[in-house]
Amino acid sequence: MSELCSLVWLRRDLRLHDNAALYYALKSGRPVLVVFVFDRLILDKLEDRRDRRVEFIHSEIHKINNELVRMGSRIVARYGRPVDILKQLTEEYSVADVFTNYDYEVYAKERDADVKAMLAERGIGFHTSKDHALLDGDEVLTGSKSPYTVFTPYSNKWLSKLDGFQVKSYPTELYFHHFLQTLPPSNRSADIPTLEAMNFQPLGESYPDPVVSAELLTAYQKMRDYPAQTGTSELGIHLRFGTISIRDLARQATETSPTFLKELAWRDFYFQVLDHFPHVEKHAFRSNYDNIPFRNNETEFQRWCAGETGYPIVDAGMRQLNQTGWMHNRVRMIVASFCIKHLLIDWRWGEAYFASKLRDFDLAANNGGWQWAAGSGVDAAPYFRVFNPKLQTQKFDPKGEYIHRWVPDLNSPNYPPPMVEHSMARQRAIDTYRKGLASKE
Ligand SMILES: Cc1cc2nc3c(=O)[nH]c(=O)nc-3n(C[C@H](O)[C@H](O)[C@H](O)COP(=O)(O)OP(=O)(O)OC[C@H]3O[C@@H](n4cnc5c(N)ncnc54)[C@H](O)[C@@H]3O)c2cc1C
């Protein structure tokens, strides 16, 4: 029987620096085994086998492994169902405790409950820590101890609770000597599954490093709404997979940009909404909004997806998304409003399309953004607010730079005319919403 060890299970926290679960595993004083599971229950469902997120995760696992190899250890990365892989590992190693970071998604909570039960049968502890959010669970509640559903009072309370302690890094580096020395050097990276073995094709893309300059943060408030500028951090994918520490970022934002810090509060806000109100994953937060008779025209939806609506700002956004896996926040709001209100397509269709394409896809934020645009969510835009794409363009892309970058065919005969007339679509949306909401009363 090998030496009793602690196992740290990485999921959306792909870093060794300032990682809460890893810190507690290392602090146990036992040798630590670092594990990542390529979860086939998630991966096998992805339709596009050239997926940026999977490629990103795969390359980050190699980076972590390289760091571990330099310290005489290695990662154990396997492809399968998490509960099966964890069970295998408890048979191969003498695991005393499993440490991991808390995940707010419904699937993740169910998965963790299964793993916890499996481990409990074997007398092994399962410990979760807060790591993805700055404040979570019951840390930010109203005076009557209920979760906030309106952002401004939430963010005020959130800010008042965000002290030096909450943004302090976990000094994992102090304990790196506890990493488990597992295999002889020649075998150390032997078993990270290849993308091909998991039936994925590499795209060969690179991603911006998770660094954010003081200049960008200082100019953030002024620049963040203009999609033609590099005015936002593009850190989404790093925050999603934990290749940057939220605490490091919050410390930097506290010093330079209250506006940027507020965006991190939105991130926590949507985590806590999903955690406290898990029904939002499939249903409107306000149940009467599940009664809107959406038109759901397939052909129109496909034109929206392809960026062929004849509304240049909408098409620019969708083409940016399709080509790069990213879209500017202002344009996300415009295209979402267009899909739901102008075309009267169920917000869940647009949400699913974003989920399949966004490299920074995060269930909590994506669901929050779509329900905001639909008017059905917490603190959502009122249903009668219908973005006018032309006015939005005049305000946020006045010189048409963003549009010309993504819609080079704008002035060619091939570019389609607007697929729906704005005033008619606006009125149709308001009438349809009104009817749907009234029918529930
Ligand atoms: C319809 C719609 C869908 C969205 N889908 C997602 C999604 O799947 N994943 C996602 O991370 N964000 C989503 N957002 C929020 C926001 O658009 C992105 O976080 C932002 O555009 C990412 O670019 P950035 O990293 O440059 O952001 P920055 O402006 O540099 O902000 C820094 C970070 O703050 C967080 N953040 C900023 N704005 C928000 C917000 N409104 N809600 C929650 N977190 C925020 C993100 O983690 C972001 O990376 C969505 C917004 C809308 C309107």
Side-chain angles (χ1 to χ4, degrees):
M1 205 57 169
S2 55
E3 194 180 350
L4 210 55
C5 70
S6 294
L7 185 155
V8 64
W9 177 18
L10 301 181
R11 287 104 66 100
R12 40 184 299 170
D13 49 352
L14 305 183
R15 63 183 192 285
L16 301 181
H17 159 74
D18 186 16
N19 180 319
L22 176 60
Y23 174 78
Y24 289 115
L26 291 165
K27 279 278 278 182
S28 71
R30 291 187 289 259
V32 171
L33 183 67
V34 181
V35 171
F36 182 80
V37 181
F38 288 96
D39 184 346
R40 66 177 312 155
L41 297 177
I42 298 174
L43 297 184
D44 291 3
K45 277 197 216 134
L46 296 176
E47 274 175 29
D48 191 349
R49 304 315 286 180
R50 287 161 58 83
D51 191 290
R52 291 186 172 89
R53 288 82 51 105
V54 179
E55 185 175 50
F56 178 80
I57 294 170
H58 192 257
S59 104
E60 293 302 320
I61 294 303
H62 273 279
K63 283 189 202 162
I64 290 179
N65 190 50
N66 292 343
E67 276 185 71
L68 288 169
V69 166
R70 280 198 292 277
M71 292 186 264
S73 184
R74 59 154 196 153
I75 198 163
V76 173
R78 295 193 185 164
Y79 169 57
R81 286 176 61 220
V83 70
D84 297 340
I85 303 285
L86 270 291
K87 194 166 151 206
Q88 269 172 22
L89 291 171
T90 62
E91 285 155 11
E92 292 170 33
Y93 297 87
S94 299
V95 179
D97 286 286
V98 171
F99 295 85
T100 197
N101 287 317
Y102 190 69
D103 191 321
Y104 308 94
E105 296 184 9
V106 176
Y107 162 73
K109 288 191 209 172
E110 288 169 3
R111 173 199 63 199
D112 288 357
D114 289 348
V115 169
K116 185 177 178 180
M118 179 278 291
L119 293 171
E121 280 172 19
R122 288 159 180 74
I124 301 170
F126 183 75
H127 311 276
T128 58
S129 305
K130 176 183 71 171
D131 186 80
H132 311 313
L134 287 160
L135 294 164
D136 75 356
D138 292 344
E139 287 182 302
V140 187
L141 293 178
T142 64
S144 56
K145 304 282 173 237
S146 49
Y148 281 99
T149 56
V150 180
F151 179 70
T152 302
Y154 170 85
S155 69
N156 290 339
K157 183 66 122 346
W158 183 90
L159 267 176
S160 74
K161 294 224 158 188
L162 196 72
D163 55 20
F165 175 75
Q166 302 289 351
V167 297
K168 200 165 162 226
S169 292
Y170 289 88
T172 46
E173 290 84 355
L174 296 179
Y175 304 93
F176 279 175
H177 56 276
H178 284 322
F179 282 128
L180 189 60
Q181 314 292 305
T182 43
L183 290 175
S186 57
N187 286 336
R188 273 183 183 152
S189 62
D191 65 3
I192 298 178
T194 61
L195 286 171
E196 289 81 357
M198 297 182 285
N199 205 15
F200 284 96
Q201 297 302 315
L203 282 110
E205 289 192 355
S206 59
Y207 300 91
D209 282 338
V211 283
V212 53
S213 68
E215 292 75 38
L216 186 129
L217 289 184
T218 312
Y220 183 77
Q221 183 181 11
K222 222 167 85 196
M223 303 303 288
R224 72 190 174 121
D225 258 323
Y226 300 97
Q229 313 299 326
T230 309
T232 69
S233 70
E234 297 194 32
L235 281 178
I237 190 167
H238 295 289
L239 286 164
R240 169 64 182 85
F241 295 111
T243 43
I244 188 170
S245 142
I246 188 67
R247 290 170 289 277
D248 286 353
L249 189 60
R251 280 200 309 277
Q252 208 182 340
T254 308
E255 285 157 18
T256 44
S257 174
T259 310
F260 189 84
L261 191 63
K262 210 165 189 182
E263 296 308 316
L264 302 185
W266 271 108
R267 181 173 173 271
D268 275 11
F269 180 60
Y270 284 137
F271 279 148
Q272 65 94 33
V273 170
L274 184 59
D275 202 21
H276 287 293
F277 307 101
H279 74 276
V280 297
E281 185 179 348
K282 302 230 160 65
H283 299 283
F285 171 74
R286 297 159 206 275
S287 59
N288 52 340
Y289 280 73
D290 272 338
N291 208 34
I292 310 294
F294 288 111
R295 293 172 61 247
N296 291 341
N297 180 303
E298 271 283 356
T299 314
E300 293 186 2
F301 180 62
Q302 289 313 327
R303 283 186 65 175
W304 175 83
C305 293
E308 296 287 345
T309 66
Y311 278 85
I313 189 78
V314 175
D315 295 341
M318 296 310 292
R319 293 180 194 191
Q320 181 180 30
L321 175 67
N322 292 331
Q323 287 171 42
T324 68
W326 189 78
M327 192 195 300
H328 189 278
N329 178 61
R330 169 58 49 185
V331 192
R332 290 187 204 199
M333 285 155 58
I334 298 170
V335 303
S337 172
F338 187 88
C339 177
I340 302 165
K341 304 277 176 68
H342 282 69
L343 302 182
L344 278 169
I345 286 169
D346 192 321
W347 57 270
R348 282 159 278 230
W349 291 31
E351 183 196 19
Y353 189 73
F354 266 35
S356 72
K357 294 280 173 190
L358 276 176
R359 64 181 189 226
D360 61 24
F361 164 59
D362 182 275
L363 199 153
N366 196 41
N367 180 274
W370 277 92
Q371 294 228 34
W372 177 86
S376 60
V378 286
D379 208 3
Y383 76 84
F384 46 82
R385 182 167 175 211
V386 180
F387 274 21
N388 180 332
K390 207 167 153 189
L391 293 182
Q392 290 287 314
T393 306
Q394 283 166 9
K395 223 166 151 187
F396 300 110
D397 190 30
K399 294 187 190 147
E401 292 164 88
Y402 174 75
I403 286 175
H404 279 99
R405 194 175 306 153
W406 296 105
V407 192
D409 54 331
L410 181 63
N411 296 318
S412 85
N414 296 333
Y415 188 67
M419 64 187 285
V420 63
E421 198 272 316
H422 172 70
S423 313
M424 181 287 289
R426 180 180 172 278
Q427 198 52 52
R428 182 177 65 179
I430 293 171
D431 293 344
T432 307
Y433 262 70
R434 196 175 284 141
K435 205 166 86 197
L437 294 174
S439 71
K440 261 283 185 193
E441 279 165 11

